[in-house]
Amino acid sequence: MKIYNTLTRQKEEFVPIEEGKVRMYVCGPTVYNYIHIGNARPMIMFDTVRRYFEYKGYEVNYVSNFTDVDDKIIKAAIEEGTDAHTISQRYIEECKKDMEAMNIKPATCNPLATREIDGMIRMISTLIEKGHAYAAEDGTVYFRTRSFKEYGKLSHKNLDDLQAGHREIKVTGDSTKEDDFDFVLWKPKKEGEPFWKSPWCDGRPGWHIECSVMAKHYLGDEIDIHAGGEDLIFPHHENEIAQSECCNDKTFARYWMHNGFLNIDNKKMSKSLGNFFTVREISEKYDLQVLRFFMLSAHYRSPLNFSAELMEASKNGLERILTAVERVREKAEKASGEMTDQEKSVIDQDMAALVRKYEEAMEDDFNTADAVSAIFELVKLMNTAVTDKSSGAFDRTLLEEVEKLCDILGIITEKKEELLDADIEEMIARRQEARKAKNFALADQIRDELAAKGILLKDTREGVKWTKA
RNA sequence: GGCGUCGUAGCCAAGUGGUAAGGCAAUGGUCUGCAACACCAGUAUCCGCCGGUUCAAAUCCGGCCGACGCCUCCA
């Protein structure tokens, strides 16, 4: 399996630290509001990575944090006249609902920054002892960036270039720093802010130290994969490496994976541009499976543009897959019989080739766009090869394979059991009678009425089917 | 100023040296009472532009144009 490693800027063969196991850390959201669709991209893509590893038989320890103390959370709390804890708890719960609707598997562990303060204090103390950090007079603790020789290895920057190429390295009058590039590990509390006691001052941790500590706590000093959005490469991930490697004297993460940004109209999504969507907003219009499928349509490292048209296209494409699976599932339930030689050859040749295509795509740095195309080709195979005459064994073999491959991508093929109101059931029955009597005018009229209520009918060989608009 | 990414049909998107996957949309046909689904058919002589390397390039090299990202909180 090949993974593109930001550290080396190359695809590398994945070799786990521990045979058969994957230790993976994904930077999670800061919970000060509903998550936006940009937050959803790493969640969906790295969940897919995890699913593929599990499919290959790995045991994955998947850790993803919630940053629950931060300026934005505090600001939101002040605006609402409540406390930071209330805000973060609320949005963690809402975030989990969104994740479930996107069929993202719960992480092995979702650590909270505020529950890991002791570990942070320990790590900061160690860094100070080793000379990699220092406390200023006001109690702020800084990391001594230049003390880590490899600083910049992930983002491929070097401090002197940054200094030379400085575009107004303004760094507000932080005169207590020894160097402009030093960053905060611990900062003093301000009036009304949550704080914890520490050897340096009452205060709270800097953002970067949180992830280093949580990764160490739940995954150990060395991890296999560390992932997140590409904007985190610098400075967040760079700083994590500095902290962790200076503290533990071990390589922090072997593989660094970063997803590209989700754009709107080719522009970065931002509140100021007014092109900002929360996952919750999208869920009002679409099943979030559609959002997931949309994200899978591009490689995770490419920028991806979001628009209503593309969501429509994704919805239709997903529908094609789901319709085909549904039809075969119903047919397979009834069909019996062993495979003919010809069917065996379709399975061994055609289906096997597509499964291979799918796996090769996934093993090549998780090329989900290609993997999806293999599923479409499998759908075509099902649509043509599963007929009245095909054997039950054949139908089920194809069905199970497609279900399995969809599941790796997190696409749910099982249709949710939904019930209709009695009056709608009655209308459908009346329309069937009208059709039997060849009273098509009445039948069409009823169909239009149902459509107005958001119920779309299809007459199939297996009977009347309905879907919600 | 430094470091990067991208430019493939109307749209999305894979392909990164051997002669253009897949999907959406649109068109014609088959099926269907009609519609929907499904199937069949054709659909980029060509991969931003200009040069170069090679038997062979969308794929490698150079230049240009265009879009974008990071360097500051940010998925």
Side-chain angles (χ1 to χ4, degrees):
Chain A
M1 195 170 331
K2 286 208 165 25
I3 294 180
Y4 181 89
N5 191 349
T6 306
L7 204 51
T8 57
R9 289 184 176 166
Q10 280 178 322
K11 285 182 192 171
E12 296 174 10
E13 186 62 32
F14 177 74
V15 181
I17 292 168
E18 199 178 336
E19 182 77 28
K21 295 190 177 175
V22 181
R23 302 178 204 162
M24 193 166 172
Y25 188 92
V26 180
C27 286
T30 298
V31 281
Y32 63 100
N33 201 336
Y34 290 105
I35 57 166
H36 58 252
I37 55 177
N39 290 306
R41 171 116 103 141
M43 290 175 178
I44 289 170
M45 300 321 288
F46 298 122
D47 175 63
T48 305
V49 166
R50 174 213 189 148
R51 285 165 181 268
Y52 192 72
F53 273 117
E54 289 178 344
Y55 166 69
K56 295 299 281 186
Y58 286 94
E59 185 184 312
V60 183
N61 191 175
Y62 189 98
V63 177
S64 188
N65 68 293
F66 285 114
T67 296
D68 63 342
V69 57
D70 166 274
D71 289 344
K72 278 185 277 198
I73 297 173
I74 293 166
K75 183 162 170 264
I78 291 168
E79 281 168 7
E80 268 192 39
T82 181
D83 58 279
H85 182 73
T86 303
I87 296 287
S88 60
Q89 280 306 305
R90 177 161 83 220
Y91 291 115
I92 285 170
E93 287 316 304
E94 297 302 334
C95 176
K96 285 183 173 172
K97 284 183 204 163
D98 287 335
M99 288 172 81
E100 190 184 347
M102 293 187 287
N103 198 25
I104 291 165
K105 283 188 158 189
T108 312
C109 173
N110 285 126
L112 302 182
T114 56
R115 303 255 180 87
E116 307 288 334
I117 302 293
D118 288 351
M120 294 180 206
I121 289 174
R122 274 200 301 280
M123 186 177 278
I124 295 170
S125 299
T126 303
L127 289 170
I128 290 174
E129 281 163 27
K130 289 187 166 185
H132 290 297
Y134 57 94
E137 272 181 29
D138 64 353
T140 305
V141 182
Y142 292 102
F143 184 88
R144 188 173 278 128
T145 302
R146 286 184 190 275
S147 75
F148 180 53
K149 293 286 169 287
E150 296 178 78
Y151 192 83
K153 66 178 175 180
L154 179 69
S155 53
H156 303 273
K157 296 180 190 305
N158 76 66
L159 295 177
D160 296 325
D161 276 357
L162 282 176
Q163 200 115 52
H166 76 300
R167 16 92 57 165
E168 322 105 61
I169 280 231
K170 27 77 282 254
V171 185
T172 51
D174 256 333
S175 53
T176 59
K177 283 183 179 182
E178 288 177 1
D179 187 280
D180 279 344
F181 293 111
D182 292 351
F183 56 90
V184 175
L185 297 175
W186 187 268
K187 57 178 145 189
K189 69 171 177 184
K190 289 195 196 117
E191 200 45 48
E193 289 184 357
F195 68 91
W196 291 263
K197 296 239 173 259
S198 83
W200 314 289
C201 63
D202 287 353
R204 59 190 168 97
W207 176 42
H208 312 300
I209 195 75
E210 299 173 6
C211 288
S212 278
V213 169
M214 290 186 269
K216 180 181 170 74
H217 185 171
Y218 296 96
L219 296 168
D221 291 352
E222 295 176 279
I223 68 179
D224 290 299
I225 298 172
H226 193 126
E230 65 181 353
D231 57 322
L232 296 183
I233 295 171
F234 190 91
H236 186 54
H237 289 334
E238 198 69 73
N239 291 353
E240 277 188 58
I241 290 174
Q243 294 161 344
S244 295
E245 300 196 352
C246 285
C247 174
N248 305 327
D249 292 315
K250 288 187 181 138
T251 299
F252 180 38
R254 293 195 177 186
Y255 305 89
W256 287 86
M257 297 179 73
H258 294 97
N259 63 275
F261 257 63
L262 185 74
N263 298 320
I264 314 275
D265 298 326
N266 283 315
K267 288 277 190 303
K268 188 168 166 171
M269 184 167 72
S270 77
K271 280 191 172 160
S272 53
L273 283 173
N275 58 0
F276 187 93
F277 295 100
T278 63
V279 169
R280 199 54 64 88
E281 285 174 289
I282 301 303
S283 75
E284 285 161 14
K285 189 129 192 262
Y286 296 97
D287 185 324
L288 291 179
Q289 283 285 299
V290 176
L291 184 66
R292 182 169 188 128
F293 189 68
F294 161 71
M295 300 234 185
L296 291 167
S297 73
H299 187 95
Y300 75 89
R301 284 190 283 118
S302 307
L304 178 58
N305 215 21
F306 179 89
S307 73
E309 291 94 315
L310 294 172
M311 281 297 282
E312 278 304 313
S314 294
K315 182 185 172 195
N316 293 339
L318 217 209
E319 196 71 36
R320 174 173 165 83
I321 295 170
L322 266 26
T323 305
V325 172
E326 165 99 348
R327 183 193 141 247
V328 174
R329 183 176 292 132
E330 288 185 8
K331 204 253 152 178
E333 275 170 16
K334 288 172 250 165
S336 60
E338 296 303 309
M339 273 192 245
T340 63
D341 287 346
Q342 213 206 325
E343 286 177 338
K344 277 202 189 88
S345 119
V346 169
I347 296 295
D348 295 342
Q349 306 289 313
D350 304 344
M351 187 185 90
L354 291 171
V355 172
R356 216 177 306 122
K357 174 180 175 180
Y358 177 99
E359 291 188 351
E360 280 169 5
M362 292 299 280
E363 310 238 339
D364 182 17
D365 195 31
F366 307 96
N367 191 334
T368 54
D370 244 3
V372 167
S373 82
I375 289 182
F376 274 116
E377 290 180 74
L378 236 18
V379 161
K380 172 89 133 211
L381 183 63
M382 286 204 301
N383 283 339
T384 49
V386 174
T387 64
D388 290 343
K389 297 187 187 70
S390 58
S391 69
F394 176 76
D395 300 345
R396 278 186 285 279
T397 304
L398 263 180
L399 177 67
E400 280 164 21
E401 193 62 50
V402 172
E403 285 177 328
K404 188 168 72 190
L405 301 187
C406 283
D407 182 61
I408 295 167
L409 297 178
I411 298 167
I412 298 171
T413 55
E414 199 78 45
K415 204 174 175 188
K416 278 177 246 158
E417 277 299 318
E418 273 191 286
L419 294 176
L420 289 173
D421 293 342
D423 58 329
I424 290 181
E425 292 280 13
E426 193 270 334
M427 284 169 76
I428 294 174
R430 257 200 301 133
R431 173 168 171 276
Q432 283 305 86
E433 281 172 33
R435 288 182 69 216
K436 237 177 207 166
K438 300 228 187 282
N439 185 350
F440 297 121
L442 177 60
D444 290 350
Q445 187 199 321
I446 296 173
R447 182 166 63 189
D448 289 345
E449 284 171 20
L450 284 167
K453 291 175 187 282
I455 304 291
L456 305 179
L457 297 187
K458 301 189 270 194
D459 302 315
T460 72
R461 224 174 300 171
E462 292 84 24
V464 190
K465 295 278 170 59
W466 58 268
T467 50
K468 287 202 169 141

